[in-house]
Amino acid sequence: MDRPNLESLTLGQILDRTTARYPENDAVVYVDRGLRMTYKEFLDLVDRVAKGLMALGIQRGEKVAVWATNVPYWVTLQFATAKIGAILVTVNTNYKTSELAYLLSQSESENIFTIDGYRDTDYVQTLYELVPELKTQERGRLESARFPYLKRVFFLGHEKHRGMYSIPEVLAMSSMVSDGEYKARQEELDPHDVVNMQYTSGTTGFPKGVMLTHYNVGNNGFWLGENQSFTEKDRICLTVPLFHCFGCVLGVMAAITHGTTLVILETYDPVMAMTAVEEERCTALYGVPTMFIAILEHKLFNKFDYKSLRTGIMAGSPCPIKAMEDVMEKMYMKEITIVYGLTESSPGMTQTRKTDSVRQRVETVGRALPEVEVRIVEPATNVPVGPEVVGEICCRGYNVMKGYYKMPEATAEVIDKEGWLHSGDLGKLDEDGYLYITGRYKDMIIRGGENVYPREIEEFLYKMDGVRDVQVVGVASAKYGEEVGAFIIPKEGYSLNPEDVRDYCRGKIANFKVPKYVVFVDTFPMTASGKIQKFKLREMAAQMFPNA
């Protein structure tokens, strides 16, 4: 595909451009409900929703929060808000009352869309608790004591709820805005406007609102799709949450920039993922490593046909080498790519390429994306280091966020004066520019003066019979400062004990790397986007071994 001039295009213009090329190609498909929209149908719906939002008074620069699973209207809203210059604020589906209250206050969101709920949380009831005025005040004239910026609440469906606008009402309002008014609004927009605010998933500290522009995510999506050789003939099975960059950029924008079809799951389910791949003949599958592992180890795995697959993205956390090899062989994904980055880098920073060797695609996270610089610096001094030297991973380019919303000091801590974004992750570059991740700077274990990189021990333990998944963290020690602790999920049918694990390590890795503490668990604490929360494992270890 020819390189579009994405520096001059908004997300709405990118969608218009793709639709003009491939109007009858499938844009969005939901296998579980038989929903299928061509690009022309999708664009028509986007324009109607956008006009409805304008008619209700949503201005350029207003925030529109979306608290929902991957329901069909989610992607529609992503582009409808972009077309009128509003800022989509994505809300973690696992949030509870206090977390939603924090986000609404910190983001100063004027609008929020919601669904019934997810898992054990009733979203509608939560909003009534936080904004009791919804039940008594006229819609469109909301005055909330707790959230003074909040003007409108929408229900992302057909049902009516007191104080909330429904989707049919939004669509009906679209007739009140003329094509001329709609066009004029779009012509006001700048590709460097903020189009999306995503709150960091909270693996550490309070969430911060990452401000991303049309330019950030449009370019990132394009190059991530290019490196998978996407065309209008490809079909992505998207299993990850849309509220996270993995879903709405690596997935949605990689597709929309190439005319590719999105086959979306509302929530992750391994059987639904396998069904979607087979029924829609998907060529790409996205997921975090635990999602791929769940498919590979599912008892129905051999019942499905994966021969249509060729590529996809595995990202979100380090991938066990064995899992990657199984995905490439057993699921036919010979061209699968690994993407590394963070929300603040829109999110892709590096990616493997389909021409890379198997070793490069399982041991590294690839090379810098086009038009992005990546370097390693010594954390304490910020001085760049040479090849094969471990330090903090930094990047610079179109993908660096505009900043954290209303947090200039926090922004200055991660983006230096030369424009380099500091990731907080540790890694090294080889002579050919391939990036190796060794862990979070805060995850590094220092035992008696020896640096221990959790990833190294994790990869070693993955090869032990009976180990399904493993995470290594530091455990406070009076004698050594820290000791090595391993949390292990055993494979079904295996009975392991801590001494088995230590025996497996002895004589094969340095003694200071052998886990002193071994804990067997059923699951790891995770964010909704599939990132393992190592800080919670450290907290668990501190409680379990207080006198280490």
Side-chain angles (χ1 to χ4, degrees), residues 105 130-134 137 142-150:
S105 293
L130 291 174
V131 194
E133 296 91 345
L134 280 172
Q137 295 183 359
L142 180 64
E143 292 185 10
S144 167
R146 188 169 180 183
F147 307 103
Y149 289 92
L150 191 62

Side-chain angles (χ1 to χ4, degrees), residues 275-474:
T275 301
V277 166
E278 179 175 284
E279 290 190 7
E280 291 297 319
R281 310 304 298 153
C282 293
T283 57
L285 175 63
Y286 282 22
V288 298
T290 51
M291 291 174 172
F292 282 98
I293 291 169
I295 290 172
L296 287 163
E297 297 196 350
H298 200 281
K299 60 186 177 183
L300 297 177
F301 176 78
N302 292 321
K303 302 286 186 184
F304 290 88
D305 181 1
Y306 310 95
K307 291 188 180 69
S308 62
L309 289 172
R310 69 168 180 86
T311 189
I313 292 177
M314 193 186 298
S317 59
C319 173
I321 291 170
K322 179 69 168 60
M324 174 61 82
E325 291 172 339
D326 284 347
V327 166
M328 293 174 73
E329 293 302 318
K330 297 178 182 178
M331 297 180 71
Y332 301 92
M333 297 175 68
K334 301 288 187 187
E335 298 177 10
I336 187 170
T337 66
I338 292 277
V339 172
Y340 165 74
L342 48 156
T343 308
E344 291 89 337
S345 62
S346 302
M349 189 186 298
T350 69
Q351 186 176 16
T352 56
R353 315 300 205 262
K354 66 180 186 180
T355 53
D356 290 341
S357 69
V358 173
R359 184 195 65 78
Q360 287 166 329
R361 280 190 275 158
V362 297
E363 293 181 7
T364 82
V365 291
R367 292 170 285 140
L369 288 170
E371 302 174 12
V372 172
E373 298 174 85
V374 173
R375 75 179 186 185
I376 308 295
V377 301
E378 207 287 317
T381 64
N382 202 27
V383 173
V385 299
E388 306 297 342
V389 178
V390 172
E392 185 182 14
I393 303 163
C394 300
C395 78
R396 184 169 67 178
Y398 68 79
N399 61 332
V400 174
M401 67 170 178
K402 204 156 196 174
Y404 295 123
Y405 185 66
K406 290 177 60 188
M407 292 185 176
E409 291 178 1
T411 301
E413 286 176 10
V414 296
I415 302 175
D416 66 28
K417 292 178 181 178
E418 295 179 343
W420 290 95
L421 173 69
H422 291 251
S423 70
D425 287 338
L426 292 174
K428 64 180 182 179
L429 289 167
D430 67 15
E431 293 282 359
D432 298 315
Y434 286 84
L435 179 62
Y436 295 73
I437 305 296
T438 54
R440 289 285 299 170
Y441 185 48
K442 292 178 181 176
D443 288 341
M444 187 175 72
I445 302 165
I446 304 177
R447 183 190 181 277
E450 296 278 6
N451 290 352
V452 179
Y453 300 106
R455 178 73 194 275
E456 177 189 357
I457 302 170
E458 288 163 359
E459 287 293 355
F460 177 76
L461 290 175
Y462 276 126
K463 297 171 186 169
M464 180 180 174
D465 286 344
V467 172
R468 175 180 167 182
D469 209 346
V470 57
Q471 293 293 315
V472 170
V473 298

Side-chain angles (χ1 to χ4, degrees), residues 1 5 23 42 50 83 124 152 187 257 259 329 347 431 471 484 492 518:
M1 184 175 183
N5 182 15
F42 178 62
K83 279 208 160 197
V124 173
R152 307 168 198 87
E187 288 176 346
T257 52
E329 293 302 318
E431 293 282 359
Q471 293 293 315
V484 177
E492 198 171 333
V518 179

Side-chain angles (χ1 to χ4, degrees), residues 164-197:
M164 302 184 188
Y165 294 99
S166 67
I167 282 292
E169 289 172 315
V170 174
L171 292 171
M173 296 287 285
S174 64
S175 62
M176 297 176 63
V177 173
S178 70
D179 289 343
E181 291 173 298
Y182 185 41
K183 184 180 179 184
R185 172 71 70 88
Q186 292 178 72
E187 288 176 346
E188 292 176 7
L189 309 183
D190 187 309
H192 295 281
D193 289 343
V194 175
V195 71
N196 195 299
M197 265 172 59

Side-chain angles (χ1 to χ4, degrees), residues 3 15 91 95 125 144 204 243 249 279-280 286 350 373 473 538:
R3 166 77 162 104
L15 176 60
V91 185
Y95 274 5
Q125 190 54 41
S144 167
T204 57
F243 76 77
V249 181
E279 290 190 7
E280 291 297 319
Y286 282 22
T350 69
E373 298 174 85
V473 298
R538 284 194 291 271

